[in-house]
Amino acid sequence: MNAALVENLTHGSYILAAGLFIFSLRWLSRPQTARRGVLAGVAGMGLAVFGTLLHPEIANYLWIVVAAAIGTAIGIPLSRVPLTAVPQRTALSHAFGGLAAGLVGTAKYMLWTGDASITPFKSGVIAIEVILGFLTFTGSLMAAGKLQEALPTRPITFRGQNYVNFALLGVAALCGIGLVFDPMQWPLFAVIVVLSLVFGVMLILPIGGADMPTVISILNSYAGLSAVAMGFVLDNMLLVTAGALDGSSGLILSLIMCRAMNRSFTNVLFGAFGQVAVAQAAGEQKAVKSATAQDVCDLLENATRVVVVPGYGMAVAQAQHRVRDVYDQLSKRGIDVKFAIHPVAGRMPGHMNVLLAEADIPYEALVEMDDINRDLPQTDVVLVVGANDVVNPAARHDKSSPIFGMPIIDADKAKLCVAIKRSMNPGFAGVDNELYSADNTLMLFGDAKAMLGEIAKALTGSGLGH
Amino acid sequence: MDVAHVGHAATAAGTSLWTMLLVFMLSTFVGFQVVQNVSRLLHTPLMSLTNAISGIAIVASVLIAGEELSTTSTILGGIAVAASMTNIVSGFLITDRMLKMFKEREPKK
């Protein structure tokens, strides 16, 4: 093939790939077309790889094939993890994206300084790429470790932490500026690599489990931005486009997550949430009313409208399928059952929806917070399963509460609220929940899975009796 | 105006820096528009799909691994290919696996 034709084929396939990526995200907007989105994405990626393999510069395909085989071998098991582990998988994926960007930047810097073809502009962009790439790499590994609970999930803080972090990033940025003035100064480059790797770890240390949905989203946008920087380094528009799509998606998700917790970006990254809360937890114990599974069964049976508020505790107890049993029993009786999904329920954006979808709950029954809040005053029974902070009314009125201002699901406004809980221990954020001592709240103490199983059994039994 | 020349001088392979910035700006804008329309129901699959798309770093890694300009660059490129391929394979597969679970309510009897 002649060179001009190859060049055109490559560019053509890149443009098609970029278009397919956009359609891929577009089709993801609704569950009905979403799977088509995956196909478009696969086609786009296939074209992009095809266009790249045509490059005449490729001297040897062997290492490409070996590396791609290794990647596939790691990728397949990673795609089969349980759905509770999807947040960790996602964090690992951000780490791989960051690693690829960092390594490509490093390789290019070495090659271009080797033949002295590096320009001040290129070295500046490489510095940005490498900083973003490597900090995403170690930061995401830390996040994955915390999500997997291989690392302590509590925020780890020390005095002057923010100054240390800013100093690390500042020195890395100064070295980057130094490289613009003298691109051949490789020690500066080495310092950038080391500092970015350290900065990624330091950035995630003070972040607690409750902030993981936001942090994962922020890391997502960093991974995207590092791909954009790579595109600038290599003059590759496809990298810029795909990276920008990834980056803007991460940014939107982070904004949604921040809004859902009423926090700002800086507050999430430098606020060490969960620290303040510990001191607060030691309040006086208020009287609570407790109920049995049979009581709850009777209450549910006589309701016309039931809303379930699931939290991550439900997934920890593996109670999704019991929830589904209760849902089936109630639906069979013509009772309207909906699920109230808080944006930060679960450990990553949208996590709760996936967990419930896996338990075969139809997606029409999954309702967003703002929509369900309108219906709650007319709801007979709200069943809180493993959710805590997202139903704490203190967020509305208690200015001293660490969760003050966070939008919540108004479970307390329903006619009756039943909360299933192991004990009265405060939740993830370590805050007391006044919902449990409210007049219209009944507590059902016990393991969520066991309790829901009992309710489902009682419902089945009484169904037969009719 | 001199700006265009600055751009040309800045990048080696001919694409103007300003063109690249324009592409970046437009893609970010398009990204915002399409992602804002994604139902909250599907935000987890959205993130795993963009993970897969970020595997696009493979186009850069493949060249570095295949050019064999130096041992170090080939090794770095090879690792980058493996990392990107992991993202592509696991990202697309898990997105599809999750999307298959989203079912509509069965029609009422």
Side-chain angles (χ1 to χ4, degrees):
Chain A
M1 273 195 282
N2 71 52
L5 179 64
V6 170
E7 176 97 10
N8 287 334
L9 263 177
T10 301
H11 284 295
S13 58
Y14 280 6
I15 288 174
L16 269 177
L20 282 165
F21 289 153
I22 292 168
F23 270 108
S24 172
L25 292 178
R26 208 186 132 55
W27 277 325
L28 202 69
S29 59
R30 294 183 304 136
Q32 291 88 340
T33 55
R35 289 189 69 197
R36 207 189 303 163
V38 178
L39 277 183
V42 172
M45 193 59 72
L47 274 171
V49 171
F50 164 78
T52 309
L53 290 177
L54 290 178
H55 272 273
E57 294 96 327
I58 299 180
N60 187 344
Y61 286 89
L62 176 68
W63 299 118
I64 299 176
V65 174
V66 171
I70 294 173
T72 311
I74 305 172
I76 290 177
L78 264 185
S79 73
R80 295 195 182 145
V81 295
L83 292 182
T84 41
V86 167
Q88 293 90 300
R89 190 218 70 93
T90 307
L92 268 185
S93 188
H94 298 332
F96 286 132
L99 177 68
L103 292 181
V104 166
T106 308
K108 274 292 164 191
Y109 179 78
M110 290 171 63
L111 290 173
W112 283 336
T113 44
D115 60 12
S117 66
I118 196 153
T119 64
F121 172 78
K122 288 282 172 192
S123 56
V125 192
I126 287 185
I128 297 174
E129 177 189 348
V130 166
I131 291 175
L132 278 171
F134 282 134
L135 85 83
T136 308
F137 174 54
T138 50
S140 303
L141 283 183
M142 286 288 294
K146 285 197 169 194
L147 284 162
Q148 182 69 37
E149 287 169 28
L151 297 171
T153 52
R154 282 229 148 262
I156 296 167
T157 50
F158 54 85
R159 204 149 21 135
Q161 189 164 29
N162 289 341
Y163 297 105
V164 173
N165 289 357
F166 280 124
L168 284 172
L169 190 62
V171 173
L174 282 178
C175 291
I177 295 170
L179 275 185
V180 174
F181 285 103
D182 188 356
M184 300 297 283
Q185 286 300 327
W186 67 265
L188 288 180
F189 186 83
V191 172
I192 292 179
V193 171
V194 174
L195 288 183
S196 322
L197 289 169
V198 175
F199 180 71
V201 175
M202 300 294 283
L203 189 66
I204 306 301
L205 271 185
I207 292 173
D211 277 329
M212 275 307 158
T214 321
V215 169
I216 288 197
S217 312
I218 294 176
L219 289 168
N220 184 359
S221 67
Y222 287 168
L225 285 177
S226 64
V228 171
M230 197 189 326
F232 276 91
V233 170
L234 300 166
D235 272 327
N236 188 319
M237 301 268 199
L238 180 58
L239 278 170
V240 173
T241 307
L245 291 176
D246 194 17
S248 50
S249 166
L251 187 60
I252 289 184
L253 293 176
S254 340
L255 289 172
I256 293 176
M257 290 300 112
C258 282
R259 214 174 298 145
M261 300 185 77
N262 189 38
R263 323 244 327 264
S264 66
F265 261 23
T266 36
N267 190 261
V268 170
L269 288 176
F270 307 110
F273 193 60
Q275 277 305 88
V276 243
V278 190
Q280 292 258 336
E284 85 273 31
Q285 283 286 329
K286 288 186 209 96
V288 297
K289 283 176 281 187
S290 74
T292 65
Q294 185 60 50
D295 298 340
V296 178
C297 165
D298 295 341
L299 289 165
L300 289 172
E301 257 192 319
N302 292 315
T304 47
R305 212 172 202 176
V306 173
V307 169
V308 181
V309 185
Y312 193 68
M314 179 199 71
V316 173
Q318 288 294 317
Q320 300 93 300
H321 295 274
R322 295 292 98 75
V323 171
R324 153 87 189 184
D325 293 341
V326 173
Y327 168 84
D328 279 346
Q329 285 297 331
L330 295 176
S331 301
K332 220 188 275 173
R333 289 167 167 76
I335 299 167
D336 176 43
V337 187
K338 291 274 191 304
F339 290 80
I341 311 292
H342 193 278
V344 294
R347 300 244 158 127
M348 69 181 287
H351 194 195
M352 193 51 65
N353 296 308
V354 178
L355 293 171
L356 291 172
E358 189 196 23
D360 273 336
I361 289 162
Y363 60 77
E364 296 98 325
L366 312 177
V367 187
E368 286 174 29
M369 173 172 67
D370 296 338
D371 298 326
I372 203 80
N373 273 348
R374 246 172 280 140
D375 298 341
L376 281 173
Q378 290 87 46
T379 300
D380 302 302
V381 182
V382 165
L383 190 60
V384 179
V385 187
N388 193 352
D389 297 327
V390 297
V391 289
N392 191 346
R396 280 199 305 260
H397 61 76
D398 182 2
K399 287 206 172 82
S400 68
S401 170
I403 59 167
F404 176 71
M406 178 172 123
I408 58 160
I409 294 170
D410 301 331
D412 57 323
K413 291 191 178 162
K415 290 173 193 153
L416 185 76
C417 174
V418 176
I420 305 181
K421 220 172 167 322
R422 210 179 264 281
S423 68
M424 284 302 286
N425 285 338
F428 219 21
V431 193
D432 250 344
N433 194 338
E434 57 177 63
L435 173 72
Y436 302 145
S437 51
D439 285 338
N440 59 341
T441 301
L442 289 175
M443 298 299 295
L444 179 54
F445 289 109
D447 171 65
K449 189 177 181 180
M451 285 301 129
L452 286 161
E454 276 185 42
I455 297 173
K457 210 164 81 191
L459 284 169
T460 323
S462 73
L464 291 172
H466 277 291
Chain B
M1 281 280 279
D2 260 329
V3 254
H5 292 286
V6 176
H8 272 297
T11 66
T15 326
S16 146
L17 169 66
W18 299 107
T19 317
M20 299 284 280
L21 283 172
L22 181 70
V23 169
F24 177 44
M25 192 269 280
L26 292 177
S27 315
T28 307
F29 183 76
V30 170
F32 263 93
Q33 292 297 314
V34 289
V35 171
Q36 240 152 15
N37 279 320
V38 173
S39 153
R40 286 199 181 183
L41 206 56
L42 298 180
H43 275 172
T44 297
L46 166 69
M47 208 183 257
S48 55
L49 185 69
T50 54
N51 274 160
I53 291 179
S54 76
I56 194 65
I58 199 165
V59 303
S61 331
V62 153
L63 286 181
I64 293 173
E67 282 175 339
E68 288 199 316
L69 292 177
S70 82
T71 318
T72 324
S73 75
T74 309
I75 293 171
L76 295 182
I79 300 174
V81 170
S84 313
M85 196 66 187
T86 308
N87 276 354
I88 296 173
V89 171
S90 71
F92 283 128
L93 284 179
I94 202 165
T95 308
D96 198 52
R97 188 181 138 214
M98 288 192 282
L99 289 176
K100 263 191 268 185
M101 292 169 183
F102 283 89
K103 291 185 201 92
E104 276 176 274
R105 199 189 300 269
E106 296 131 43
K108 283 242 163 77
K109 300 137 248 179

